[in-house]
Amino acid sequence: MPFSEPVRLGRKRALPSCPNPLFLKWLTELRDDAKEKGLKIHHTYHKAITSLTKYPLPLQSATEAKILQNFGDGICKILDKKLQQYYKEHGPNAPIHSLPKRLQSAGEFDNNSLAPRPKKNDASVSDRTAAEKKGGVEGGGRKKKREYVPQKRSGGYAVLLTLYREAQIPGSKGFMFKMELQTEAQKLCDKSFTVPDLGSKYTAWSSVSTLIQKNLLIKTHNPARYALTEKGLALAERLESAETGGQSPVDGSSKVPAEENPKLVDLTCSDDDNEDNDEEARPETPEIPATASVHLTSADTGAGSADSVGLQTKSQQMSGARLPPGSYDIVLCVDFIETTGGCQHRKQELVKELQRNGVNFDVRKLNVGDFLWVAREKVAPVSGQLRAPAGRELVLDYIVERKRMDDLCGSIIDGRFREQKFRLKRCGLRKPIYLVEECGKAASHMSLPESTLQQAIVNTQVVDGFFVKRVQDVRESAAYLTIMTRYLSKLYQNQTLFCRSRELDGDVVEDDRSVPSCSLISFAEFNYGAIKNKCQTVKEVFARQLMQVSGLSGDKAAAILELYNTPHSLLLAYNRCSTEAEKEKLLASVRYGKLKRNLGPALSKTVYQLYCSQGPLL
């Protein structure tokens, strides 16, 4: 048996106390408060506490703490506000590197603990006994959690009431889609469901995650459907009875919480329970309603109604969801990929040319296409705010995909070319444009022959129906975008624009392509619907499978999906065929495209072999 060293006995050396106990105390309170409400931001506060306890020097202000890890602008701003309040209460010369005597004597705080929890382990026995007699403490000395009730006029409050009132309508479908729910709930909420306030990235819709976590709301299907659980229905019924009980008027209810909690300011909070606590009464004009502003009546919400599109269009025009002439600007949206990565000099040249031409443009993330135009609502600045509130944005029917010859060659080789065209067709905008930069004689030095590239461009124009614009370099591309921006500004200057929901109304098909469409979808809905790797339906996956077959384009796949929208329905059709030859020719007579040509026996046989052959294809 090897010799073991004797165990050294003795007193452990006490850890040095934190030289910034006030900051540590405030961060601990913020962390515990966030954890009690179930907010994920309590992890951020805990990391900041860890960094602060390791820092050996005293800090004079929270701004100095920015040098520490996990201290951002939001946390420093909160600590600075608390420090100013501390100076007001204790005087401008009050010490900040030691706790006041009343806090030290209360035993609430331990500087050596990285995860202090006030009033949990340090409470006296007499205090615990008194609390137990009142019924406020459970076994183990833990406080009994209060029932979650959303604040009046908050996002969670509006969502619960809207779903409850929808459920009370006779013959209702029992759920609501996202855009439909946002539109109806906006009337009951003081904050916007789509536009965050200045200094925050959260909207009223952020509270939906809290409702789901509290088992008050359930989210199913794709597109998402939202419905109340039994627990949520009971809470919403109580909120509805309180709302109709004549407690406080709806217009003035937002002022009450602010008076009750005047000191609660948490800009980093993601929950909407207390997001209106520090707000003053809002003016009527600057509030931005939801972007998808389709007003739905009880008749419109009936599932499976044959006249739903016409009813929703009428209700949309009667509601306030419109942008009259002169109330909006036409803005060019540039995908951020077009300004970053790759050849920085060439991409920055595009931005400089647009600036030199005086184009009103905005760089943002586009999930499909490289350029598009939006009609942005003009919003008057609000007194006391640095920037004016963001206006509603409706997407015009024009979208541009920019291709250099080398990029076109690479996209054909790796298969992105067909997929991008397919996504552009399905994005909901009627007039896709292919902007091709030929770059002189660069096409003669590509991996593919120049004739192949030219044929692909012609097919894009003739077969796919895209408008193809050929330019020589970046400068000509910027010139074309400038001309298009000015053309669209003139085209829409006397038009009244209406906002519709593509999720509820579907795509609008108009025969006269020369007349600008005034029924447009919001940018938020457009960009969300164009996400490349979002959760897909069986029909969408089936379409992608079919398009992997050589010679089977997007139009052909769409024609097959009109008859058989899932692989199961196609296999059932094959099983109903009596002979092998009949199965091979099942899809031969399917018509596709504008010319209504037949799919042909060759492709029909290939698809049959793909889904019905047991072994490898020959």
Side-chain angles (χ1 to χ4, degrees):
M1 182 175 179
F3 177 75
S4 59
E5 295 184 359
V7 179
R8 294 183 179 181
L9 302 176
R11 182 184 299 175
K12 290 185 178 180
R13 187 178 62 178
L15 295 175
S17 61
C18 177
N20 303 285
L22 273 179
F23 290 159
L24 189 59
K25 173 181 177 297
W26 293 332
L27 284 174
T28 305
E29 291 175 353
L30 290 171
R31 182 204 60 187
D32 293 341
D33 185 56
K35 192 168 185 179
E36 183 181 350
K37 294 178 179 178
L39 306 180
K40 293 183 180 179
I41 198 174
H42 78 86
H43 296 295
T44 305
Y45 289 135
H46 185 78
K47 292 177 183 178
I49 291 173
T50 305
S51 299
L52 185 62
T53 52
K54 293 179 180 178
Y55 189 65
L57 302 179
L59 299 171
Q60 299 301 326
S61 66
T63 308
E64 297 180 6
K66 285 187 178 181
I67 63 174
L68 302 181
Q69 192 177 10
N70 302 307
F71 274 80
D73 293 335
I75 291 181
C76 292
K77 187 174 181 180
I78 295 171
L79 292 179
D80 273 333
K81 287 186 176 181
K82 288 182 175 291
L83 185 60
Q84 293 174 8
Q85 186 67 24
Y86 175 79
Y87 281 142
K88 288 181 181 179
E89 295 177 358
H90 300 86
N93 297 323
I96 63 173
H97 301 119
S98 62
L99 290 176
K101 293 183 179 180
R102 60 183 180 84
L103 295 182
Q104 290 178 351
S105 60
E108 292 183 350
F109 195 72
D110 183 8
N111 290 348
N112 295 330
S113 175
L114 294 181
R117 295 189 178 276
K119 298 181 182 179
K120 181 176 179 182
N121 297 325
D122 297 333
S124 62
V125 177
S126 59
D127 292 341
R128 292 180 185 176
T129 306
E132 288 175 359
K133 289 180 179 179
K134 294 180 180 179
V137 178
E138 296 177 348
R142 300 187 64 180
K143 282 189 176 181
K144 185 177 180 180
K145 287 188 176 181
R146 294 179 300 173
E147 181 187 6
Y148 170 79
V149 179
Q151 187 182 9
K152 193 170 184 180
R153 302 290 296 179
S154 67
Y157 176 88
V159 169
L160 288 176
L161 272 188
T162 302
L163 287 172
Y164 176 77
R165 293 175 180 178
E166 168 69 17
Q168 302 308 308
I169 299 175
S172 66
K173 53 184 180 290
F175 62 87
M176 297 183 76
F177 293 105
K178 178 180 178 180
M179 305 302 295
E180 180 184 5
L181 179 57
Q182 285 182 338
T183 304
E184 295 298 323
Q186 187 62 65
K187 307 168 188 175
L188 303 173
C189 183
D190 290 332
K191 292 178 68 70
S192 172
F193 274 88
T194 54
V195 181
D197 288 341
L198 292 176
S200 174
K201 62 180 180 180
Y202 300 105
T203 64
W205 185 253
S206 305
S207 61
V208 170
S209 59
T210 303
L211 296 178
I212 295 176
Q213 183 183 5
K214 300 290 185 181
N215 197 27
L216 300 172
L217 194 67
I218 184 171
K219 175 183 175 183
T220 58
H221 294 81
N222 183 29
R225 299 177 180 180
Y226 297 90
L228 292 174
T229 61
E230 293 184 1
K231 183 179 177 183
L233 189 63
L235 177 58
E237 188 175 0
R238 288 162 47 197
L239 293 177
E240 176 69 14
S241 61
E243 175 79 13
T244 57
Q247 293 181 348
S248 61
V250 174
D251 296 336
S253 59
S254 61
K255 298 181 182 179
V256 177
E259 295 173 0
E260 294 175 355
N261 301 299
K263 301 179 182 178
L264 187 56
V265 180
D266 192 353
L267 298 179
T268 58
C269 187
S270 64
D271 195 0
D272 278 340
D273 303 345
N274 56 357
E275 62 188 357
D276 292 333
N277 286 356
D278 195 53
E279 291 188 0
E280 298 178 358
R282 298 168 178 246
E284 295 182 0
T285 51
E287 178 61 43
I288 308 301
T291 50
S293 305
V294 184
H295 181 71
L296 298 178
T297 62
S298 58
D300 298 332
T301 55
S305 175
D307 298 328
S308 59
V309 174
L311 290 172
Q312 290 163 3
T313 304
K314 292 179 182 178
S315 61
Q316 146 194 314
Q317 294 176 355
M318 293 176 63
S319 68
R322 63 190 185 94
L323 298 180
S327 66
Y328 56 87
D329 294 320
I330 303 300
V331 181
L332 170 66
C333 296
V334 182
D335 187 19
F336 78 101
I337 297 297
E338 294 297 309
T339 61
T340 59
C343 182
Q344 285 284 347
H345 172 72
R346 185 168 61 244
K347 293 189 174 183
Q348 288 301 321
E349 184 180 355
L350 174 66
V351 175
K352 291 178 180 178
E353 284 293 326
L354 292 175
Q355 291 174 342
R356 191 178 296 116
N357 296 339
V359 177
N360 186 11
F361 71 94
D362 185 22
V363 179
R364 61 181 70 178
K365 177 177 175 57
L366 301 180
N367 291 322
V368 64
D370 297 322
F371 307 94
L372 56 83
W373 289 266
V374 297
R376 179 186 293 171
E377 182 183 21
K378 297 178 182 178
V379 182
V382 180
S383 176
Q385 291 188 5
L386 181 62
R387 299 183 181 87
R392 291 172 291 179
E393 291 182 336
L394 304 182
V395 185
L396 306 187
D397 264 335
Y398 298 81
I399 184 170
V400 178
E401 178 72 24
R402 175 180 169 223
K403 288 289 184 186
R404 284 172 51 89
M405 275 298 184
D406 53 353
D407 186 23
L408 177 62
C409 178
S411 63
I412 293 175
I413 293 175
D414 60 22
R416 288 184 293 115
F417 183 60
R418 283 202 307 163
E419 185 211 10
Q420 286 174 346
K421 291 194 296 183
F422 181 71
R423 293 178 63 219
L424 283 171
K425 287 182 179 180
R426 291 174 54 107
C427 71
L429 305 184
R430 296 187 305 146
K431 299 181 180 180
I433 301 172
Y434 242 72
L435 183 61
V436 182
E437 293 183 6
E438 297 184 343
C439 304
K441 298 181 180 180
S444 59
H445 304 286
M446 301 295 171
S447 303
L448 295 176
E450 183 178 2
S451 59
T452 302
L453 299 179
Q454 296 296 339
Q455 185 63 52
I457 296 173
V458 172
N459 289 346
T460 301
Q461 183 172 8
V462 177
V463 179
D464 298 308
F466 288 18
F467 178 81
V468 176
K469 174 65 178 178
R470 298 171 184 258
V471 295
Q472 289 298 322
D473 52 21
V474 178
R475 184 169 297 182
E476 288 192 10
S477 295
Y480 176 72
L481 294 173
T482 302
I483 294 173
M484 278 294 298
T485 304
R486 294 171 181 170
Y487 165 74
L488 292 175
S489 299
K490 185 177 180 180
L491 183 66
Y492 282 90
Q493 65 180 356
N494 295 322
Q495 302 292 334
T496 299
L497 306 182
F498 298 91
C499 180
R500 65 179 176 87
S501 173
R502 188 186 179 200
E503 182 180 275
L504 301 177
D505 299 345
D507 292 331
V508 175
V509 180
E510 299 183 16
D511 298 331
D512 190 0
R513 297 174 64 90
S514 62
V515 178
S517 175
C518 296
S519 180
L520 308 174
I521 59 177
S522 67
F523 176 80
E525 183 181 4
F526 162 80
N527 218 28
Y528 175 77
I531 296 177
K532 185 175 182 180
N533 295 322
K534 68 176 181 179
C535 184
Q536 296 177 335
T537 62
V538 177
K539 184 176 181 179
E540 291 171 337
V541 176
F542 187 31
R544 285 176 174 262
Q545 287 181 350
L546 291 174
M547 290 180 62
Q548 301 307 310
V549 178
S550 178
L552 212 159
S553 63
D555 289 338
K556 297 176 182 179
I560 296 176
L561 290 176
E562 288 182 3
L563 300 176
Y564 313 103
N565 55 1
T566 62
H568 179 68
S569 60
L570 180 61
L571 292 176
L572 289 178
Y574 282 132
N575 292 335
R576 288 194 294 266
C577 298
S578 56
T579 63
E580 195 75 13
E582 187 179 355
K583 294 180 180 179
E584 291 180 356
K585 296 180 180 180
L586 176 66
L587 303 177
S589 58
V590 174
R591 298 183 178 275
Y592 70 93
K594 297 179 181 179
L595 301 179
K596 299 300 179 183
R597 295 177 177 175
N598 290 336
L599 199 64
L603 271 179
S604 178
K605 182 178 179 180
T606 303
V607 174
Y608 165 69
Q609 292 177 344
L610 174 64
Y611 286 97
C612 297
S613 297
Q614 299 296 330
L617 298 180
L618 301 177

